[in-house]
Amino acid sequence: MRPIRPSVTVRRGGRARRSPFPALAAVALVSTLALTATGCNSDDTGAAGEPSASAAAGGSGATGDGKITIPDDIRKKLKEHGIDVDKWKNGAWKNWNKDDWLREANDFVNPIIQGLWDPDRMRRANDPDKGVDDNDISGDQGVTDPAPAPVQAQKVAPPYHTSAATAGKVFFDSPEGTMVCSATVVEDPAHPGKSNLVWTAGHCVHAGKKGGWYRNIAFVPSYNDAGRSTARLQGATREQVAPYGVWWGDWAQTSDQWIKQGGATGGQGASYDFAVIHVTPEKGGNGKSLEETVGSALPVNFDAPAVPKVQSITATGYPAAPPYDGQSLYQCQDRPGRLSVAAADPTMYRIGCTMTGGSSGGGWVEKGTDGKPALVSNTSIGPVTAGWLAGPRLGTVAKGVYDSVSKKFAVQ
């Protein structure tokens, strides 16, 4: 087909934008601390994919009286970066001044603040959708097929844990406020059947070439599992909103290309817009991994067939920009076409889909030659008119990010 330039403006959903800060390295060292917040509902997870409303205080660092202690060596390390733990948990993390945003290669701090992600805060997380001009995406370079016809996103039948057990939402804070993305539980080769890995978009953890790592990154599997309406969610408990727990990122990694090239909007760096987060339960959990807790994890295919050979891809996410509200899980299924952002970058998958911002980072699944589903991409960009979505084709760079995070925790 004749290469064309997309005739629409492009948005990138579920993320902060226009951050004035310098880029950081691809690996984020996240100190997993348990900081006590007052007046919050407790959260714990059950075994074998069954949710639990129990509230066990435990976890490493917990004393016999239930109080959380911070090891002196970690507290000292934080203070070396100008972070006082007590001040941090009381709101110092909101300081996004250039000189105060950590930017050392391997030191990003994401302390757990227990109860920070309460139902109201999750429900109010925004997608600050902004359009850009056509020059942000160079569709006339490389190979680009005509834009696909829009495919109407379909609601996933609740409970989501039954219909799409690996899907969930990523919440994080940025200089522009509380943000939200979508994500997928994926297998961990170092821990078969016991993965704590989550796949999402790079722009859901890092601001790209003009920014740094976001804060308070947490994953909620099967968010709003029962598919409650927005009105009903206003009175929902934390266990109803997050029946399988809140899982904080204790390590995050994206591609060097995203950090160096990633643009706040448009297609810059989109071919490498992916990330892997290693997570841990907010309150120490019950010894079960994320995969054991939700009962499933998807394999990742880093050698997916060329676009013309893919019959169908299913994209899943929680679209948050109008006409959606971010509280319900949706899917689109379509045969992909090709989208070239830059001649030197890998050609992206593109499908027709009406999902909007907030669905960013959500998994794209294709059935392999063995007939089993596997993750082959994630939502990265789409037009302001919300007629299609594009995601990176996962190759050697993506596998390097994935393997690095897996190996980091292989001995644990």
Side-chain angles (χ1 to χ4, degrees), residues 23-331:
L24 303 182
V27 178
L29 176 60
V30 187
S31 299
T32 308
L33 310 179
L35 308 182
T36 303
T38 60
C40 300
N41 291 329
S42 59
D43 175 17
D44 204 351
T45 53
E50 293 299 326
S52 171
S54 63
S60 59
T63 62
D65 58 4
K67 294 181 179 180
I68 303 299
T69 60
I70 308 301
D72 290 340
D73 58 337
I74 295 179
R75 187 182 292 269
K76 180 179 178 181
K77 183 177 181 181
L78 296 180
K79 287 191 174 182
E80 288 175 354
H81 292 293
I83 294 176
D84 182 278
V85 175
D86 296 324
K87 291 181 179 179
W88 184 271
K89 71 177 181 179
N90 288 322
W93 60 264
K94 298 176 184 178
N95 182 358
W96 294 95
N97 292 335
K98 179 179 178 180
D99 293 337
D100 296 318
W101 194 355
L102 296 181
R103 48 195 140 159
E104 291 185 20
N106 296 317
D107 290 309
F108 175 78
V109 179
N110 190 44
I112 292 175
I113 304 177
Q114 290 185 10
L116 176 69
W117 293 110
D118 60 33
D120 287 341
R121 198 165 193 268
M122 285 189 259
R123 180 167 46 83
R124 293 194 301 264
N126 295 322
D127 167 64
D129 198 44
K130 294 186 177 79
V132 296
D133 62 39
D134 293 346
N135 292 328
D136 278 330
I137 185 165
S138 302
D140 57 351
Q141 299 181 34
V143 180
T144 295
D145 296 324
V151 172
Q152 185 63 46
Q154 300 296 315
K155 272 191 174 183
V156 174
Y160 300 148
H161 179 258
T162 300
S163 303
T166 59
K169 296 181 77 168
V170 170
F171 296 92
F172 57 97
D173 284 298
S174 78
E176 296 185 1
T178 301
M179 305 297 169
V180 65
C181 275
S182 300
T184 306
V185 182
V186 294
E187 293 180 353
D188 181 354
H191 298 284
K194 298 182 178 181
S195 175
N196 284 309
L197 301 185
V198 174
W199 191 282
T200 190
H203 74 256
C204 298
V205 297
H206 193 287
K209 64 181 179 181
K210 292 185 178 180
W213 299 94
Y214 296 129
R215 296 172 180 170
N216 302 326
I217 299 171
F219 175 66
V220 177
S222 295
Y223 172 82
N224 187 24
D225 189 41
R228 293 175 175 83
S229 66
T230 300
R232 291 181 61 200
L233 279 175
Q234 292 189 24
T237 65
R238 198 171 191 228
E239 286 74 21
Q240 289 173 327
V241 172
Y244 297 91
V246 176
W247 298 69
W248 284 65
D250 57 1
W251 190 276
Q253 187 165 335
T254 185
S255 66
D256 288 323
Q257 290 87 341
W258 169 255
I259 289 175
K260 294 175 181 177
Q261 304 170 16
T265 53
Q268 295 176 322
S271 294
Y272 298 96
D273 184 16
F274 41 75
V276 178
I277 307 170
H278 186 279
V279 298
T280 188
E282 182 177 275
K283 298 190 69 174
N286 55 9
K288 297 289 185 180
S289 66
L290 175 61
E291 181 178 359
E292 291 171 300
T293 299
V294 303
S296 184
L298 282 174
V300 185
N301 186 356
F302 297 102
D303 192 25
V307 172
K309 296 183 179 180
V310 179
Q311 295 298 313
S312 177
I313 280 180
T314 299
T316 303
Y318 286 84
Y324 308 97
D325 62 8
Q327 309 310 313
S328 299
L329 188 64
Y330 283 82
Q331 289 182 329

Side-chain angles (χ1 to χ4, degrees), residues 1 143-146 306-308 336-340 347-350:
M1 297 183 181
V143 180
T144 295
D145 296 324
V307 172
R338 295 166 290 188
L339 176 65
S340 177
T347 299
M348 301 178 71
Y349 291 123
R350 180 164 64 163

